[in-house]
Amino acid sequence: MRRLSMISLAVCAGLAFASAASAQQQQPEYGMPINQAAAMKVAAAAQKKATEIHQRVIISIVGPSGDLIYFTKMDGAQYASIAISQQKAKTAAIFRRPTAVWEKVIGKGGHTITLLTLPGVIASAGGIPLTENGKVVGAIGVSGGPNGTIDAQAAQAGADALK
């Protein structure tokens, strides 16, 4: 009986992941990691947007593997957002999708809650993959706003600066 329960749980987790994966179109391939100059440009655009919307945030830029390439903390940003911004960036890079996708799918509840058990998943908007020539070169993670939607605005501004 216990084995049947474990198999059922595994099937549910697989279905949940499949539904999250289908929420996105074909995922792009990984490319060479973003360089420091480009990462700084992305972070500057995100910080500019955060300033415009009167938020103090922390911005992390990672390569395709989720490893940190650039980091900046605006004065007065909460310390808890250091790890959160890095995790948002890593999740967006390694799964090649915005963290808002996880937030939306998991927010539906039910069996999708098991997605939170996947290593590296954070279900809060503010992490966005960075692409060049159709390939994921890294990701930006922003944290510190009152909610993920605000963080995502700054992250999107950063991602747009790479285009």
Side-chain angles (χ1 to χ4, degrees):
M1 184 66 164
R2 181 166 189 217
R3 184 172 182 201
L4 183 59
S5 295
M6 294 301 287
I7 291 170
S8 296
L9 180 61
V11 169
C12 286
L15 290 172
F17 185 72
S19 69
S22 68
Q24 289 291 309
Q25 295 179 357
Q26 181 69 22
Q27 293 180 350
E29 294 181 24
Y30 292 111
M32 294 298 294
I34 188 171
N35 64 39
Q36 185 183 23
M40 292 172 71
K41 177 181 172 183
V42 168
Q47 185 167 334
K48 180 180 178 196
K49 179 64 174 179
T51 301
E52 289 171 4
I53 59 176
H54 308 290
Q55 298 299 312
R56 294 175 292 192
V57 300
I58 295 178
I59 303 161
S60 296
I61 310 295
V62 300
S65 64
D67 294 313
L68 190 62
I69 292 180
Y70 188 78
F71 170 88
T72 187
K73 177 185 176 296
M74 294 176 68
D75 292 339
Q78 64 183 4
Y79 292 114
S81 291
I82 294 170
I84 296 168
S85 72
Q86 290 176 15
Q87 188 60 47
K88 285 181 180 184
K90 182 176 184 175
T91 297
I94 64 175
F95 288 103
R96 297 178 287 187
R97 59 176 53 96
T99 54
V101 169
W102 297 106
E103 181 178 43
K104 183 177 181 180
V105 171
I106 292 169
K108 293 178 182 177
H111 71 278
T112 61
I113 198 76
T114 60
L115 291 171
L116 288 174
T117 65
L118 297 177
V121 170
I122 188 167
S124 177
I128 298 177
L130 300 173
T131 59
E132 284 185 326
N133 300 321
K135 294 187 178 188
V136 175
V137 297
I140 181 172
V142 177
S143 181
N147 58 56
T149 303
I150 300 296
D151 295 342
Q153 288 179 30
Q156 189 63 58
D160 290 346
L162 195 56
K163 296 176 183 176

